[in-house]
C-alpha cells in the first residue's frame, strides 16, 4: 500500500491498520435531522498516489456491512479486502494509476463516529445517544474528509448497493466535485419491501435481551443472537433462488437423513448460521440499526419535490449505471428509473444490465462482463478528463 | 453493405458516413439505435462530437460502454419521451423508423429532443421492390430489406413520397436529402426519379419556423 503522505494533514492518527481524520472541530457537521455533530472522526484507507494536479482520486463507497478495507487485509477477520477483484494494481480501479480512497461511513463501527464510539458528553459509548444519520450525512462527512485531504474534486465515485446510494447522493449534492459516477445495484430510494426486510433485522436485534435498550456496550453484554438473525435474513436477500439452489439444493449437512429435529439438517441452514455467527465477530448491532435506517430514509427525489430529474439538473457528471438481472433487492427497474431521470436532465449516462444469476451480491463477485464494461467506462472518462496514462 | 476503407480504423458503412457528413463538429448527438457504436465512435474521433446512444440489444449496449461510449439500453418507441426538448443538436435514427411501432410519434419526438434530426430508411418505392411484388407476387427482398416477411422487424415500411407527406403533415422542413441507389452510390438533393431509383433515403430535418 503506497500512501500519498503529502495529502495526509495534521490531526491524523493511525488506528489498527488504517487512518483516522478528526473533522468538524471548527465547523461541525449539520445532520439532516437538525442535530450538529462535531468534532467527529472518519476512518479511511487510501491506495495509490495522488497525482500532482490532484485529479486522479477515486472514492469508493461501501455497502451496509462493508468498511474502508476495500483492498487490504481486514484487521479483525484477517480476510482480503472486500473488493480486491476490482481494486488493486492492474485491476479495473488501478491503484497504480488512481488514488483510491475508501472511508468507513458515519454511523459505522470500524473507527468512524458511530454508536460504538465514546460520547464525549457522557464518557460512555454513544449507543442510541448517537444521532440518526442519513445517506446525505454520510456523503457530507466524506466531502469534509476530501477537504481535509486537500482533494478538490473526484475523478470518480463508485459503489454498490448502499454505496451506490451514496454515489447518487454525491452526484446530486456535489455535482462539481464528481467527474464520473458509477452507481451499481442500487436505487434512488429504498423500496417498501427493502424497508420491511430491514425492519425484520432491527426487530431481531432489539428483541435480543442482550441488547439492553442499546446500552449493551456499557453494560458488558452483546446481542449476538439478534444480530446474527438479522444477518441471516438479510443475506437471503443478497442472493437469488437460482444461486441458492445451485449451491445447496436440498442437500443435507454432514448427515445421511433428516433428523426430525431442529438442528441444521440442510446445508443452506448451516451456511446461514455460519454467515450469522461470523458477522457478529466483526459488526456492531447498533451500527446495524443506524445504517439500515439511513438506507430506509434514502429518497433522493423527495428533496426535489418528488422529481428525481431535478436532483441532477444541469449535471456535467458522466454516469455509468449498472444493474444485474437476478438482483431482486435492487431490481433493474429501479436503476432504469435513475437512468430515465438522468435522461430527463440531459445527463451523460451509460446504463448496462449484466446477465448474472448471483443476485444482488453479484457486484462483489467475479463478473468479467462488469469488469470489462467498467474498465472501458473509466478509460473513456480518463481520456475526457485528460488524465495521463 | 459497402465499406469505405480508411474512413476510420475499422471502416464505417457508407450510409453512416453520409450521416456523419451532415453533423457539425463539436455538436451534441443522440444516436437512436446505435448498434455496436460504429457511428458514435466515428463522430467522437473525427468530429469531436459529444455523443450518446440508445440501443435495444443489451449485448450492443455493453459492447459500446466497454469502448467508452455513453450508451443506454432502450428503444425509440419507449424511451424518447424522457428526454427534454432541445437537449441535442442532432438526433439520428438510422434504418430504424420502419421498425418502430409509432413512426409519427417517433418523428415528432426526434425533432422535439433535437434541433435537427437525421433519418434514414429503406425506400419501399425502389423499383426492385415494386418489381418483386408485381412480377414475383411475394414480399420483396433487397439489400436493405434482406429478411423474409416472417422474420423482419420492419412493420411500418414507406416510400420516399410517403415520408415527404408525413413530414409535411408534421410541419417538418427538409434541409438536405440524399438518395442511395442499389450500388451504394449516393445522389444529393431531391430528383423526380428518386422514389424509383433510391434503395435507401437519408434526410436532414428540422422543425419549420
Amino acid at each position: 500500500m503506497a500512501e500519498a503522505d503529502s495529502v495526509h494533514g495534521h490531526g491524523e492518527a493511525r488506528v489498527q491498520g488504517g487512518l483516522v481524520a478528526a473533522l468538524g472541530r471548527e465547523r461541525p457537521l449539520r445532520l439532516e435531522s437538525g442535530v450538529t455533530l462535531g468534532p467527529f472522526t472518519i476512518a479511511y484507507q487510501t491506495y495509490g498516489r495522488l497525482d500532482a494536479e490532484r485529479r486522479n482520486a477515486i472514492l469508493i463507497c461501501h455497502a451496509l456491512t462493508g468498511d474502508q478495507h476495500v483492498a487490504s487485509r481486514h484487521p479483525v477477520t484477517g480476510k482480503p479486502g472486500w473488493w480486491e477483484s476490482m481494486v488493486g494494481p492492474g485491476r479495473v480501479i488501478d491503484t497504480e494509476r488512481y488514488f483510491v480512497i475508501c472511508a468507513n461511513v458515519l454511523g459505522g463501527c470500524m473507527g468512524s463516529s458511530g454508536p460504538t464510539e465514546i460520547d464525549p458528553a457522557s464518557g460512555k459509548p454513544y449507543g442510541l445517544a448517537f444521532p440518526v444519520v442519513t445517506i446525505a450525512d454520510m456523503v457530507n462527512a466524506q466531502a469534509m474528509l476530501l477537504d481535509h485531504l486537500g482533494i478538490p474534486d473526484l475523478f470518480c465515485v463508485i459503489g454498490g448497493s448502499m454505496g451506490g446510494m451514496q454515489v447518487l447522493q454525491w452526484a446530486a449534492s456535489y455535482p462539481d466535485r464528481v467527474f464520473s459516477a458509477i452507481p451499481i445495484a442500487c436505487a434512488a430510494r429504498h423500496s417498501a419491501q427493502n424497508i420491511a426486510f430491514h425492519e425484520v433485522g432491527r426487530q431481531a436485534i432489539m428483541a435480543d435481551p442482550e441488547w439492553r435498550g442499546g446500552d449493551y456496550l456499557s453494560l458488558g453484554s452483546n446481542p449476538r443472537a439478534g444480530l446474527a438473525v438479522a444477518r441471516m435474513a438479510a443475506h437471503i436477500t443478497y442472493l437469488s433462488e437460482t444461486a441458492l439452489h445451485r449451491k445447496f439444493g436440498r442437500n443435507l449437512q454432514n448427515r445421511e437423513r433428516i433428523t426430525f429435529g431442529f438442528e441444521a439438517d440442510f446445508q443452506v441452514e448451516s451456511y446461514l448460521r455460519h454467515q450469522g455467527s461470523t458477522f457478529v465477530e466483526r459488526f456492531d448491532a447498533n451500527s446495524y440499526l443506524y445504517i439500515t435506517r439511513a438506507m430506509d430514509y434514502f429518497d433522493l427525489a423527495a428533496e426535489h419535490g418528488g422529481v428525481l430529474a431535478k436532483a441532477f439538473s444541469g449535471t456535467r457528471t458522466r454516469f455509468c449505471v449498472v444493474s444485474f438481472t437476478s438482483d431482486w433487492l435492487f431490481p433493474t427497474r429501479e436503476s432504469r428509473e435513475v437512468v430515465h431521470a438522468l435522461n430527463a436532465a440531459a445527463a451523460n449516462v451509460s446504463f448496462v444490465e449484466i446477465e448474472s444469476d448471483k443476485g444482488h451480491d453479484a457486484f462483489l463477485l467475479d463478473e468479467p462482463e462488469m469488469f470489462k464494461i467498467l474498465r472501458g467506462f473509466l478509460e473513456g472518462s480518463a481520456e475526457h478528463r485528460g488524465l495521463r496514462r | 453493405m459497402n465499406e469505405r476503407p480508411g474512413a476510420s480504423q475499422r471502416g464505417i458503412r457508407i450510409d453512416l458516413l453520409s450521416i456523419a457528413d451532415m453533423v457539425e463538429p463539436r455538436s451534441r448527438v443522440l444516436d437512436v439505435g446505435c448498434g455496436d457504436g460504429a457511428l458514435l465512435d466515428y463522430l467522437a474521433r473525427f468530429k469531436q462530437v459529444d455523443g450518446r446512444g440508445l440501443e435495444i440489444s443489451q449485448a450492443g449496449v455493453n459492447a459500446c460502454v466497454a469502448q467508452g461510449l455513453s450508451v443506454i439500453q432502450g428503444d425509440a418507441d419507449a424511451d424518447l419521451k424522457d428526454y427534454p426538448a432541445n437537449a441535442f443538436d442532432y438526433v439520428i435514427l438510422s434504418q430504424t423508423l420502419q421498425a418502430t411501432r409509432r413512426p409519427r410519434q417517433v418523428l415528432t419526438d426526434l425533432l422535439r429532443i433535437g434541433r435537427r434530426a437525421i433519418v434514414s430508411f429503406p425506400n419501399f418505392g425502389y423499383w426492385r421492390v415494386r418489381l418483386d411484388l408485381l412480377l414475383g407476387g411475394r414480399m420483396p427482398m433487397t439489400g436493405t430489406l434482406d429478411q423474409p416477411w416472417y422474420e423482419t422487424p420492419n412493420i411500418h415500411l414507406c416510400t420516399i413520397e410517403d415520408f415527404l407527406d408525413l413530414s409535411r403533415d408534421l410541419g417538418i422542413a427538409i434541409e438536405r436529402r440524399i438518395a442511395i441507389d442499389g450500388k451504394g452510390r449516393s445522389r444529393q438533393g431531391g430528383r423526380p426519379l428518386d422514389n424509383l431509383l433510391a434503395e435507401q433515403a437519408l434526410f436532414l430535418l428540422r422543425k419549420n419556423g
Side-chain angles (χ1 to χ4, degrees):
Chain A
M1 191 177 94
E3 280 154 14
D5 287 328
S6 61
V7 301
H8 299 136
H10 52 86
E12 202 89 2
R14 268 168 202 276
V15 290
Q16 193 181 18
L19 300 152
V20 175
L23 303 170
R25 218 186 296 273
E26 290 98 49
R27 191 173 54 87
L29 176 60
R30 190 170 172 79
L31 301 173
E32 267 197 290
S33 63
V35 175
T36 50
L37 183 68
F40 66 94
T41 56
I42 290 292
Y44 65 101
Q45 291 284 73
T46 69
Y47 310 87
R49 202 162 271 283
L50 189 64
D51 65 17
E53 295 83 22
R54 303 184 171 229
R55 283 166 61 81
N56 68 334
I58 295 184
L59 178 70
I60 298 177
C61 300
H62 69 71
L64 167 57
T65 65
D67 53 43
Q68 67 271 40
H69 301 285
V70 58
S72 45
R73 198 161 286 284
H74 195 279
V76 177
T77 65
K79 287 186 177 161
W82 56 268
W83 221 8
E84 288 203 2
S85 56
M86 179 75 88
V87 186
R91 304 277 188 194
V92 174
I93 297 177
D94 187 349
T95 50
E96 285 171 348
R97 187 170 185 202
Y98 304 117
F99 179 64
V100 174
I101 308 155
C102 186
N104 188 210
V105 293
L106 202 60
C109 52
M110 285 299 291
S112 291
S113 286
T116 63
E117 300 288 307
I118 302 296
D119 179 356
S122 67
K124 292 193 303 181
Y126 272 107
L128 296 194
F130 193 76
V132 168
V133 295
T134 64
I135 299 293
D137 294 332
M138 294 173 180
V139 164
N140 290 336
Q142 289 161 1
M144 289 169 81
L145 174 66
L146 290 196
D147 295 341
H148 172 79
L149 297 176
I151 296 172
D153 63 342
L154 295 161
F155 164 59
C156 181
V157 188
I158 179 171
S161 196
M162 186 183 81
M165 291 177 167
Q166 293 166 70
V167 172
L168 294 174
Q169 185 72 56
W170 256 103
S173 298
Y174 301 97
D176 297 335
R177 297 185 83 170
V178 182
F179 186 81
S180 63
I182 308 178
I184 306 172
C186 68
R189 63 175 178 194
H190 219 213
S191 69
Q193 177 172 268
N194 290 1
I195 295 170
F197 278 118
H198 276 174
E199 177 60 2
V200 170
R202 285 190 294 263
Q203 288 299 330
I205 290 167
M206 294 190 282
D208 186 332
E210 300 279 294
W211 182 62
R212 308 264 199 116
D215 269 342
Y216 54 88
L217 288 179
S218 307
L219 299 170
S221 62
N222 190 357
R224 291 166 166 273
L227 180 58
V229 171
R231 173 63 167 180
M232 289 166 76
H235 196 78
I236 301 166
T237 69
Y238 304 151
L239 306 173
S240 69
E241 199 205 353
T242 318
L244 273 177
H245 181 77
R246 187 184 53 230
K247 210 164 176 179
F248 307 109
R250 290 182 52 84
N251 298 341
L252 299 180
Q253 178 68 21
N254 300 331
R255 61 200 69 192
E256 296 295 313
R257 53 188 69 83
I258 52 172
T259 61
F260 296 95
F262 298 101
E263 293 297 301
D265 274 358
F266 294 99
Q267 280 180 8
V268 66
E269 294 173 296
S270 171
Y271 168 79
L272 278 182
R273 288 180 188 196
H274 175 75
Q275 289 297 326
S277 65
T278 53
F279 182 63
V280 301
E281 298 305 320
R282 68 173 179 88
F283 214 85
D284 173 69
N286 282 338
S287 263
Y288 197 86
L289 302 183
Y290 278 87
I291 300 175
T292 54
R293 207 63 181 141
M295 291 178 77
D296 292 351
Y297 282 170
F298 187 61
D299 182 355
L300 197 51
E303 57 190 284
H304 298 274
V307 182
L308 186 56
K310 286 191 186 159
F312 304 113
S313 59
T315 183
R316 289 165 62 208
T317 302
R318 301 167 68 86
F319 289 85
C320 183
V321 180
V322 180
S323 73
F324 296 92
T325 49
S326 57
D327 183 349
W328 57 276
L329 196 59
F330 290 97
T332 291
R333 170 172 30 83
E334 301 198 341
S335 286
R336 212 179 275 282
E337 277 174 25
V338 172
V339 172
H340 285 171
L342 287 166
N343 277 341
N348 187 324
V349 53
S350 292
F351 167 52
V352 294
E353 181 188 35
I354 292 164
E355 182 86 33
S356 165
D357 69 359
K358 292 179 190 144
H360 180 61
D361 263 356
F363 82 91
L364 294 167
L365 303 172
D366 183 30
E367 289 285 347
E369 175 123 38
M370 172 177 69
F371 296 150
K372 194 173 109 198
I373 287 163
L374 293 187
R375 196 182 284 278
F377 174 76
L378 283 174
E379 201 59 54
S381 298
E383 208 172 296
H384 278 271
R385 191 165 162 91
L387 290 186
R388 280 190 299 269
R389 289 210 52 90
Chain B
M1 277 290 170
N2 290 292
E3 298 277 335
R4 188 165 118 174
S8 81
Q9 283 175 339
R10 53 182 181 187
I12 177 172
R13 266 174 18 214
I14 182 106
D15 58 323
L16 297 184
L17 197 62
S18 302
I19 290 171
D21 285 343
M22 291 181 172
V23 174
E24 292 290 325
R26 283 172 290 281
S27 53
R28 285 164 63 91
V29 173
L30 174 66
D31 186 0
V32 182
C34 63
D36 63 0
L39 177 61
L40 280 175
D41 186 56
Y42 180 92
L43 289 171
R45 280 175 200 284
F46 297 101
K47 295 218 162 180
Q48 295 75 48
V49 150
D50 178 11
R52 318 283 165 74
L54 193 63
E55 165 58 29
I56 198 160
S57 101
Q58 193 60 58
V61 175
N62 295 11
C64 287
V65 180
Q67 294 173 61
L69 300 169
S70 300
V71 175
I72 68 169
Q73 198 270 330
D75 70 69
D77 282 304
D79 295 293
L80 292 181
K81 63 172 170 19
D82 294 326
Y83 292 88
N86 300 315
F88 295 94
D89 297 311
Y90 300 91
V91 182
I92 297 169
L93 188 72
S94 156
Q95 302 291 330
T96 303
L97 185 67
Q98 76 284 354
T100 63
R101 284 192 300 278
R102 294 178 303 153
R104 189 185 165 98
Q105 183 59 44
V106 167
L107 262 182
T108 307
D109 273 336
L110 293 183
L111 282 158
R112 180 182 60 80
I113 299 166
R115 292 194 301 110
R116 288 183 166 72
I118 301 173
V119 175
S120 73
F121 57 87
N123 172 29
F124 213 70
Y126 181 44
W127 66 271
R128 291 188 75 109
V129 172
R130 302 188 194 198
L131 212 58
D132 256 24
L133 192 57
L134 183 68
L135 300 182
R138 289 190 167 80
M139 283 302 284
M141 285 177 64
T142 66
T144 45
L145 300 171
D146 55 358
Q147 287 174 304
W149 65 272
Y150 49 84
E151 294 282 4
T152 182
N154 299 333
I155 52 177
H156 284 123
L157 287 157
C158 70
T159 71
I160 289 177
E161 290 303 326
D162 289 328
F163 184 80
L164 292 173
D165 288 348
L166 179 59
S167 298
R168 213 171 294 122
D169 274 7
L170 294 174
I172 293 172
I174 289 157
E175 288 204 336
R176 281 175 70 183
R177 53 188 282 188
I178 294 176
I180 300 170
D181 72 16
K183 295 199 169 76
R185 292 176 304 213
S186 59
R187 309 182 337 143
Q188 297 273 347
R191 300 189 199 186
L193 288 179
D194 275 356
N195 198 33
L196 196 61
L197 298 180
E199 186 178 7
Q200 311 175 46
L202 176 59
F203 290 87
L204 175 62
L205 310 168
R206 69 170 164 73
K207 267 162 293 196
N208 255 335

